[in-house]
Amino acid sequence: MTIRKHRLTTLLTGLLCLGVQAFAQNQEMSPLLMEAIGSNADSIPVSREECIDIALSQSPTIRIADLEVKRVNFAKRETIGNLLPQIGFSLSYQRSIELQTIRMNMGGQSQKLKMGSDNTWNTGFSVSLPVIAPALWKAISISDTQIAQNLESARSSRLELVNQVNKAYYALMLAIASKDVIKQNYDIAKYTAEIYKKQFEQGTASEYDVLRSEVQVKNIEPSLLDADISVKQCQLSLNVLMGIDDALNLYPTVTMEDMQKDMYAYMLESKSLSGNSSLRSLELQQKMAAENVTMKKFAWIPTLGASFNLNWLSLSNGPMFRDVEFSPYSSVGISLSVPVFSGGAKWYQMKQAQVQEKELAFQKENLVNSLKMQVDLALDNINRQAKQIDSSKEGVRQAKKAHEIMLKSFQIGAASYLQLRDSELADTSARLSYLQAIYNYLVSTSELDLLLGKDSAIVKAN
């Protein structure tokens, strides 16, 4: 683990340095980068696990999912905060323009009296606390479920990203291996054409043989060019998934033949669907729907709150700050709110929540049946592809042997060039089919891991 961690750190440092180098080519290259990429600054060998580690640490999708988990966590704390005492402070000033006037009979005469004061200062603290608040209590439980949903969403994003990186890595391996096969076929055709050309110059071969062999070389060149483009496209796809510079050329540390030797070590311990992300998300939705039903029922429960106020009041006449003298006054109270009638709104809201809960139960049943069928089909497909690999491997052996026999026959003049060329094409086709069979098997196992939601497929970036 320590060696792998050091290699991954070195690789990431090298990738970063290479990105900086694109903007500052005159600066000396980092020793860590040299260690990561060797003598070729454009070719970096990476393992599939390292690609997954980098993708999980660099992918914007994963970062967004992680931030969403943090956001919901803050929302839960907000809900908890509503259960705590709410403390407020206020300060107000009021200046009377015209005082109120009242009339009073005094000694048989009606007199006018001014009521109030020119300046009114009022300041103080207010405290409120929910004592009985079932809806708030249930909101905390719903927040926990929402957090679990977001965590599962983040996990699903990771599983999907791992599957995409796996397929991109396998596609790059297939493209490189296929290119090598086509290149070997091209080299053989080119070598044969050169032999015929020399024989023609010596008078032992016809011009027709020279032209025919050169045409074969030209016929292979487009396939070789397509193979080269395919490799570059696969490298670009892998770079995009990893979130690194698209100018970097990544190469697998293993070959398709290496994967074929070890791929039968893939074991399916269980067909349990407990790890399937879609099913787990639906179960969390069911849980939230049930909690929502309970919350709608809590709407009929009375709520009780307590309050406390501590204030200071100052009344004065004249200038604003003249004779300011604050006098304290305080109060404490309890408020009870009892829902009596709301036109049936609460009742129908509860009914909607119950219907939604039943819908999710049917959706889960349908999803489980569908997933079981997909798992069975995936296993059948993997078994079929394993047999296809064995068949293709035997085909490669037979095609190679047939080509060797035809080559010896051609060398002694017992076979024509067309027969030799047919054996070469058969050998090339068999090898390409063999590589494609290995690729199909590897992709199918990755898809099955995604379907079962195997957490072991996620390689954590340590």
Side-chain angles (χ1 to χ4, degrees):
M1 178 63 72
T2 302
I3 295 176
R4 178 182 166 194
K5 181 177 180 181
H6 173 70
R7 172 172 169 77
L8 179 60
T9 304
T10 301
L11 180 61
L12 285 171
T13 305
L15 294 175
L16 179 60
C17 291
L18 190 57
V20 174
Q21 185 190 27
F23 297 95
Q25 297 180 355
N26 295 329
Q27 301 205 1
E28 185 177 357
M29 187 177 294
S30 167
L32 290 176
L33 176 60
M34 292 299 296
E35 181 182 353
I37 65 177
S39 59
N40 188 352
D42 293 329
S43 301
I44 304 177
V46 290
S47 67
R48 181 177 62 89
E49 290 78 10
E50 288 170 340
C51 290
I52 293 174
D53 283 340
I54 295 173
L56 290 176
S57 63
Q58 299 295 323
S59 172
T61 302
I62 302 302
R63 293 181 180 181
I64 292 173
D66 291 338
L67 288 175
E68 186 64 17
V69 173
K70 290 184 178 180
R71 185 192 67 81
V72 178
N73 250 316
F74 291 143
K76 177 186 176 182
R77 295 181 183 180
E78 176 188 359
T79 304
I80 295 176
N82 292 329
L83 294 174
L84 301 177
Q86 307 295 312
I87 303 175
F89 172 79
S90 64
L91 173 64
S92 65
Y93 168 77
Q94 179 178 327
R95 176 73 181 187
S96 298
I97 298 176
E98 181 68 31
L99 297 178
Q100 294 180 354
T101 302
I102 62 173
R103 294 178 177 273
M104 297 185 65
N105 290 322
M106 299 180 64
Q109 296 181 354
S110 178
Q111 296 184 3
K112 296 180 180 180
L113 297 177
K114 296 288 186 178
M115 299 293 294
S117 58
D118 296 335
N119 305 305
T120 303
W121 291 88
N122 196 348
T123 184
F125 295 91
S126 62
V127 180
S128 62
L129 174 66
V131 179
I132 299 178
L136 284 177
W137 300 339
K138 197 61 184 177
I140 295 176
S141 177
I142 293 178
S143 296
D144 289 333
T145 306
Q146 183 63 52
I147 291 174
Q149 277 189 321
N150 284 87
L151 286 172
E152 183 57 36
S153 177
R155 174 178 172 272
S156 176
S157 298
R158 283 179 168 81
L159 289 170
E160 181 62 37
L161 181 60
V162 168
N163 181 49
Q164 292 177 0
V165 172
N166 282 340
K167 292 194 292 185
Y169 192 85
Y170 296 148
L172 179 57
M173 293 172 57
L174 175 63
I176 292 175
S178 299
K179 179 183 175 181
D180 292 341
V181 171
I182 296 174
K183 182 66 168 56
Q184 291 175 11
N185 189 19
Y186 175 78
D187 292 340
I188 292 174
K190 191 174 181 180
Y191 176 73
T192 304
E194 291 175 353
I195 291 178
Y196 270 120
K197 187 175 181 180
K198 292 179 180 179
Q199 291 178 348
F200 174 73
E201 293 174 352
Q202 297 175 359
T204 58
S206 66
E207 184 179 4
Y208 174 75
D209 292 331
V210 175
L211 293 175
R212 183 172 56 184
S213 61
E214 289 181 347
V215 167
Q216 292 296 334
V217 174
K218 296 297 182 181
N219 288 338
I220 301 176
E221 287 180 351
S223 298
L224 187 61
L225 179 61
D226 290 341
D228 186 62
I229 294 175
S230 178
V231 170
K232 292 181 179 179
Q233 289 177 341
C234 291
Q235 288 174 334
L236 179 60
S237 298
L238 186 58
N239 290 356
V240 170
L241 289 172
M242 294 171 61
I244 61 176
D245 190 350
D246 57 7
L248 301 177
N249 294 326
L250 304 182
Y251 284 88
T253 55
V254 294
T255 64
M256 295 294 284
E257 287 77 7
D258 295 332
M259 298 296 293
Q260 192 273 334
K261 295 177 183 177
D262 300 332
M263 68 183 186
Y264 293 110
Y266 176 85
M267 298 295 293
L268 183 63
E269 298 177 356
S270 172
K271 295 195 299 182
S272 172
L273 297 172
S274 60
N276 181 269
S277 186
S278 297
L279 183 59
R280 291 173 63 163
S281 295
L282 189 58
E283 289 173 346
L284 289 171
Q285 292 180 31
Q286 279 187 292
K287 182 178 179 181
M288 181 167 286
E291 292 175 340
N292 192 33
V293 171
T294 304
M295 191 171 183
K296 298 301 181 184
K297 294 178 179 179
F298 283 175
W300 278 290
I301 300 178
T303 59
L304 181 67
S307 63
F308 172 75
N309 294 282
L310 177 61
N311 297 277
W312 290 266
L313 179 65
S314 174
L315 303 173
S316 63
N317 293 316
M320 178 177 178
F321 295 103
R322 181 181 178 181
D323 299 331
V324 176
E325 182 179 352
F326 286 97
S327 300
Y329 68 97
S330 60
S331 64
V332 64
I334 295 178
S335 61
L336 177 66
S337 177
V338 180
V340 178
F341 180 70
S342 59
K346 293 184 177 65
W347 170 262
Y348 291 115
Q349 288 175 0
M350 185 192 69
K351 287 299 182 181
Q352 292 178 54
Q354 290 175 337
V355 170
Q356 185 181 22
E357 185 180 12
K358 293 180 180 179
E359 289 176 352
L360 291 173
F362 287 121
Q363 290 179 21
K364 179 183 176 181
E365 180 181 355
N366 184 54
L367 179 61
V368 169
N369 293 333
S370 176
L371 291 175
K372 287 181 178 179
M373 180 186 67
Q374 292 179 45
V375 170
D376 291 338
L377 290 176
L379 289 173
D380 291 341
N381 195 36
I382 289 175
N383 292 331
R384 179 180 60 82
Q385 289 166 352
K387 295 178 181 178
Q388 180 65 36
I389 291 174
D390 292 335
S391 176
S392 299
K393 189 175 182 179
E394 177 64 19
V396 170
R397 188 191 66 80
Q398 293 176 347
K400 182 179 179 181
K401 184 176 181 180
H403 175 63
E404 292 174 350
I405 294 174
M406 190 58 63
L407 179 60
K408 292 179 180 179
S409 300
F410 177 75
Q411 290 174 346
I412 62 177
S416 65
Y417 174 74
L418 289 178
Q419 291 175 317
L420 176 63
R421 189 59 190 160
D422 286 342
S423 68
E424 291 174 354
L425 293 176
D427 180 54
T428 300
S429 177
R431 292 164 66 187
L432 291 176
S433 297
Y434 172 62
L435 294 174
Q436 184 67 45
I438 297 175
Y439 169 79
N440 292 339
Y441 178 90
L442 294 173
V443 169
S444 296
T445 57
S446 180
E447 291 284 355
L448 182 58
D449 286 342
L450 175 64
L451 184 61
L452 297 177
K454 295 176 66 174
D455 289 324
S456 58
I458 301 179
V459 181
K460 296 184 179 179
N462 294 323

